[in-house]
Amino acid sequence: MTEGSLYGERITLGEPPLKAGEILYSLRDVSVEYGTRAGPVAAVDHVSLDIRKGEILGLVGESGCGKSTLGKAMLRMISRPGRITTGELWFDGVDLVTLSERRMREIRGARLGMVFQDPMTSLNPLSRIVDHLTETIMTHEPSVSEAAARDRAAQLIGRLGLREERIDDYPHQFSGGMRQRIMIALALALQADLVIADEPTTALDVIVEAQFLDLLRELRDEFDLTIVLITHNIGVVAEVADRVAVMYAGRMAELASVNELFLDTKHPYGQGLLRAVPNIELDGTELYQMAGAPPNLLHTPSGCAFHPRCPAVMPICSQHQPEFLQREGDHYTACWLYQDHPVKPGVHDA
Ligand code: SF4
């Protein structure tokens, strides 16, 4: 790799380069718990999920469902009083849980990127954009000269639709949408394979949001980037994602291709989320509102955690937790409507 190109040297892990569609990141039985004075909170509860190279995976659910915690767990960025209590995080053939913090920092900086809702929390307001980018590049590639790092940084922000001369500006001189592009530039500067974007469009107006989503798609195609898009807005996922994972109460409720999920939602929670999306074709129709509120994870409801709100609830639902199982093809769900019920004394199905 020559100095001045967009990409630098690559930190290699355990596997040869993957092809599009192969599993890049595999979560196995991952749980995250937060210690509170009132007791432990299971923010992520035994989640398993495969993320394919080159896909945009939408991770959706209401506030507090564990989606952001899961994103942080993937980067091993859970800070105390939280901790990963079970599971494996296989990235490119290596279980990140087993790595030292030093090695994890290297990989987090170079192969895994994160874009937050408010980029100002990640950008130093006293440093120019060029300083952020060149420092990032030179920290991970000490052999790159400052001039070459600057050239690469300018090319990157140019690629992301910003004028190259603005590289000498400070973060506060950019709009929210531009700052999100700069965060992506930081990830691309290091040839990140996987970018986790946590509510990246929540603070943007609809026009800038649409431009940013277009950009994500372009970058995925151009750089073979894999993107996990965390959002409460299922409409955003419909715009850009290849597959969608729906979380509820720290668990996986449903996983399917975006077409499957929108055309044939299996889980009653996913059905409720979709019905609650405003639709201009239904002018005058009252918007659906899901009954109840997300559960307090200090006291997650027994069995299927959605049972107190579910319009299709059956007696078994409060007694046994359904497994997250393949329903058909690429479509997975955790719901007793689609699984054989265990035969237990005293359990009568409706
Ligand atoms: Fe509803 Fe029961 Fe399915 Fe849970 S398992 S979503 S309560 S039908």
Side-chain angles (χ1 to χ4, degrees), residues 25-271:
Y25 200 123
S26 187
L27 298 97
R28 286 284 161 271
D29 197 36
V30 174
S31 301
V32 178
E33 202 173 270
Y34 285 93
T36 71
R37 285 194 186 153
V41 169
V44 173
D45 192 0
H46 298 281
V47 165
S48 294
L49 178 65
D50 288 334
I51 297 160
R52 298 169 185 162
K53 182 163 178 60
E55 76 170 338
I56 300 179
L57 176 78
L59 190 54
V60 299
E62 292 163 293
S63 294
C65 72
K67 56 193 189 301
S68 294
T69 303
L70 190 67
K72 286 189 184 139
M74 289 177 64
L75 299 171
R76 262 189 50 190
M77 282 177 65
I78 301 290
S79 45
R80 279 149 65 105
R83 67 193 178 97
I84 297 173
T85 51
T86 68
E88 297 164 5
L89 300 168
W90 289 93
F91 171 62
D92 206 3
V94 171
D95 181 6
L96 300 182
V97 170
T98 64
L99 297 182
S100 67
E101 190 46 48
R102 185 189 62 78
R103 181 77 175 132
M104 189 59 222
R105 256 199 311 273
E106 287 172 4
I107 291 166
R108 200 186 291 129
R111 305 275 313 265
L112 302 167
M114 186 131 193
V115 177
F116 295 99
Q117 177 180 340
D118 180 6
M120 285 304 278
T121 57
S122 311
L123 296 168
N124 180 348
L126 301 178
S127 295
R128 297 172 305 156
I129 296 309
V130 68
D131 301 325
H132 284 92
L133 283 162
T134 53
E135 191 183 314
T136 304
I137 292 167
M138 291 166 71
T139 300
H140 289 276
E141 293 175 66
S143 62
V144 175
S145 70
E146 192 171 340
R150 185 187 163 90
D151 281 352
R152 195 195 292 175
Q155 285 178 50
L156 266 173
I157 73 157
R159 170 60 194 88
L160 295 183
L162 303 173
R163 290 204 322 274
E164 293 189 12
E165 59 270 25
R166 296 212 59 191
I167 201 165
D168 290 311
D169 287 351
Y170 289 86
H172 73 270
Q173 295 174 280
F174 292 88
S175 67
M178 289 172 170
R179 285 197 287 264
Q180 291 295 33
R181 288 166 189 249
I182 291 163
M183 291 304 297
I184 297 266
L186 280 166
L188 290 176
L190 297 163
Q191 200 179 5
D193 299 80
L194 175 69
V195 171
I196 298 172
D198 190 0
E199 302 279 7
T201 62
T202 301
L204 308 181
D205 65 52
V206 283
I207 307 261
V208 179
E209 175 183 277
Q211 290 168 346
F212 185 76
L213 295 177
D214 282 345
L215 177 69
L216 285 187
R217 251 191 311 252
E218 287 169 26
L219 295 176
R220 184 272 306 272
D221 295 342
E222 186 175 333
F223 295 94
D224 207 12
L225 204 57
T226 306
I227 299 169
V228 175
L229 180 63
I230 298 172
T231 178
H232 65 280
N233 186 342
I234 204 158
V236 164
V237 160
E239 290 285 318
V240 76
D242 301 300
R243 289 193 304 154
V244 188
V246 181
M247 284 187 76
Y248 188 79
R251 301 170 188 161
M252 277 295 150
E254 187 154 7
L255 172 69
S257 70
V258 74
N259 285 344
E260 272 270 326
L261 192 100
F262 279 80
L263 294 175
D264 187 20
T265 322
K266 301 288 185 205
H267 198 285
Y269 175 60
Q271 291 168 355

Side-chain angles (χ1 to χ4, degrees), residues 267-269 304-308 310-314 316-318 322 334-337:
H267 198 285
Y269 175 60
C304 169
F306 187 57
H307 83 257
C310 181
V313 63
M314 302 173 283
I316 190 172
C317 300
S318 60
C335 177
W336 284 122
L337 290 172

